Amino acid sequence: MVTFTLNGQTQTFDGDPDTPLLWVIRDFAKLTGTKYGCGVAQCGACTVHMDGSTRRSCVTPISTADGSEILTIEGVDGPEAEAVKTAWVAIDVPQCGYCQSGQIMSAVSLLQNIPKPSDDDIDGAMAGNICRCATYQRIRQAIHNAAASMEG
Ligand code: FES
Ligand code: FES
């Protein structure tokens, strides 16, 4: 039996301990904002926060989540999350949208660690999040805007 919190609510899972966290989030908890892209930790569509750090949930066995706090796009909050969401909407970052929950989860984590990131910081933190619609310029701009909005 694996016990963890998902967006602040206690969850238990007693299936196969090798089940990917992404499957548990989408199929058991029915939270479908976190996406399946590649399944092999190469695209970032499945990014969630586990105990305050980004994790690729497609390659995270649920057994490793025991005792952890998991946040998904449906539950992430706090000043960085609010600033990122507002900045995303303000300049219409998404195109098809498929990659965007993963992008946002990575961007929030970046700002939690580096409140005023440089372009290099952004490129480094976001490198694992692929966007087939190539919204990279708007993602970078939105992160700068979110950082600026939290200053002072
Ligand atoms: S689906 Fe997990 S990194 Fe692509
Ligand atoms: S917005 Fe379409 S894949 Fe990123």
Side-chain angles (χ1 to χ4, degrees):
M1 173 92 75
V2 178
T3 303
F4 58 100
T5 66
L6 181 58
N7 297 333
Q9 297 197 323
T10 301
Q11 301 270 343
T12 57
F13 180 79
D14 60 5
D16 184 341
D18 289 334
T19 303
L21 174 60
L22 177 60
W23 269 234
V24 176
I25 290 170
R26 289 182 55 87
D27 293 348
F28 291 88
K30 305 294 185 194
L31 295 177
T32 55
T34 306
K35 302 303 185 192
Y36 174 82
C38 65
V40 290
Q42 295 294 309
C43 77
C46 66
T47 304
V48 299
H49 293 183
M50 179 185 282
D51 294 332
S53 299
T54 54
R55 284 292 280 254
R56 304 298 189 233
S57 61
C58 68
V59 292
T60 301
I62 190 62
S63 58
T64 66
D66 196 37
S68 294
E69 292 181 18
I70 310 294
L71 288 177
T72 69
I73 189 68
E74 291 89 349
V76 68
D77 61 5
E80 293 85 2
E82 293 313 311
V84 165
K85 290 180 208 172
T86 300
W88 243 245
V89 170
I91 64 168
D92 280 336
V93 171
Q95 193 161 318
C96 81
Y98 198 84
C99 71
Q100 295 290 323
S101 67
Q103 304 281 0
I104 287 172
M105 295 306 282
S106 290
V108 170
S109 181
L110 168 62
L111 290 181
Q112 287 171 342
N113 290 307
I114 306 176
K116 193 155 178 51
S118 65
D119 283 345
D120 283 349
D121 293 330
I122 294 172
D123 291 347
M126 305 300 293
N129 287 86
I130 305 302
C131 177
R132 291 180 62 184
C133 302
T135 62
Y136 300 112
Q137 294 294 341
R138 291 201 296 279
I139 287 171
R140 183 193 277 184
Q141 186 61 54
I143 292 172
H144 281 307
N145 293 353
S149 76
M150 291 196 303
E151 278 186 304

